[in-house]
């Protein structure tokens, strides 16, 4: 009798041990499965978390500053400086620039100050004082005395739209109703034999390209 009870007791104990090991193994599998799922979720989410904002695909815009060796002659402060000229319409702005005194006198003589100042958008090729000085004095005085001819010459330097350095090359109609051809790119532009010595100068209503020769139209 005792032997049967002992055998039965040992059988129950073995069964209990087997069940306990089974539960432990099951729990271990569940924990492993949970850990695996968590690891999988972390792995799938990590690329999203590691993403950083995309860098701008476009390059930095080109500088809007004036360019060319002639810009060294523009004042660094005051109304005749680049910053000062940007506040005034083009004829007024030019009157403050020491490089353009003869041009301003010619514009005044032709009665074009109000025309240029009141226009909305212009591109002006502005000859320097040295450019006018290269014209024989007799011929220059004769031009200044002939208002019709002077007006044609001056308006031949003006285009009725605002052209950036990226757009200025090409053939353009002037206020004199003839054509002006600009060649070049970047910071190197020519109009016939004339060169831009200080380009992309902004005024309130115009973009100015200072040139080293007077541009003569067909008269």
């Amino acid at each position: 009798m005792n032997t049967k009870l002992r055998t039965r007791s040992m059988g129950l104990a073995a069964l209990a041990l087997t069940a306990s090991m089974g539960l432990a193994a099951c729990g271990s599998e569940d924990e492993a499965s949970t850990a695996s799922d968590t690891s999988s979720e972390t792995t799938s989410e990590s690329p999203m978390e590691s993403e950083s904002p995309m860098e701008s695909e476009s390059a930095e815009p080109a500088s809007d500053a004036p360019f060319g060796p002639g810009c060294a002659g523009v004042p660094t402060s005051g109304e005749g400086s680049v910053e000062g000229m940007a506040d005034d319409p083009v004829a007024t702005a030019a009157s403050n620039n020491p490089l353009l005194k003869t041009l301003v006198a010619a514009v005044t003589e032709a009665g074009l100050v109000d025309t240029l100042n009141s226009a909305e958008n212009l591109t002006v090729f502005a000859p320097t004082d040295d450019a006018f000085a290269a014209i024989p004095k007799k011929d220059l005085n004769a031009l200044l005395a002939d208002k019709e001819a002077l007006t044609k010459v001056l308006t031949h330097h003006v285009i009725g739209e605002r052209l950036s350095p990226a757009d200025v090359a090409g053939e353009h109609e002037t206020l004199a109703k003839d054509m002006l051809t600009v060649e070049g790119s970047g910071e190197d532009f020519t109009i016939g034999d004339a060169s831009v010595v200080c380009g992309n100068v902004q005024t309130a209503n115009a973009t100015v390209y200072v040139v080293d020769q007077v541009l003569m139209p067909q008269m």
Side-chain angles (χ1 to χ4, degrees):
M1 180 69 177
N2 289 338
T3 300
K4 290 182 179 180
L5 288 173
R6 190 179 297 113
T7 301
R8 184 178 180 185
S9 178
M10 290 176 65
L12 290 173
L15 181 62
L17 179 60
T18 301
S20 176
M21 291 178 66
L23 290 173
C26 185
S28 177
E29 290 176 359
D30 290 341
E31 289 176 1
S33 176
T34 301
S36 177
D37 291 343
T38 303
S39 175
S40 176
E41 291 175 2
T42 302
T43 302
S44 64
E45 291 177 359
S46 59
M48 294 293 292
E49 294 173 353
S50 64
E51 285 183 358
S52 58
M54 294 179 63
E55 296 181 359
S56 174
E57 294 180 359
S58 59
E60 290 295 320
S63 173
D64 288 333
F67 59 83
C71 295
V74 177
T76 57
S77 62
E79 293 182 342
S81 66
V82 170
E83 292 78 9
M85 290 181 68
D87 295 331
D88 295 318
V90 63
T92 301
S95 70
N96 295 320
N97 190 313
L99 300 177
L100 305 176
K101 292 180 179 179
T102 307
L103 173 62
V104 172
V107 167
T108 302
E109 191 68 27
L112 293 174
V113 172
D114 289 342
T115 299
L116 296 178
N117 277 348
S118 62
E120 290 187 4
N121 291 294
L122 299 173
T123 295
V124 178
F125 295 94
T128 63
D129 289 348
D130 289 342
F132 279 101
I135 300 175
K137 189 172 183 179
K138 180 180 178 181
D139 294 339
L140 179 58
N141 288 339
L143 178 63
L144 293 173
D146 186 339
K147 186 175 181 179
E148 182 178 352
L150 180 60
T151 298
K152 184 174 180 63
V153 169
L154 294 176
T155 53
H156 179 67
H157 291 73
V158 184
I159 297 168
E161 59 180 317
R162 201 161 186 154
L163 299 173
S164 71
D167 301 320
V168 72
E171 192 172 37
H172 308 285
E173 184 177 1
T174 73
L175 296 191
K177 304 301 181 183
D178 56 12
M179 304 304 292
L180 196 66
T181 301
V182 182
E183 297 180 332
S185 62
E187 298 183 357
D188 185 12
F189 296 98
T190 58
I191 307 95
D193 294 330
S195 297
V196 173
V197 296
C198 185
N200 200 34
V201 179
Q202 301 300 317
T203 75
N205 68 330
T207 298
V208 177
Y209 295 85
V210 180
V211 293
D212 61 2
Q213 292 186 34
V214 177
L215 312 176
M216 298 301 294
Q218 292 184 348
M219 303 297 285

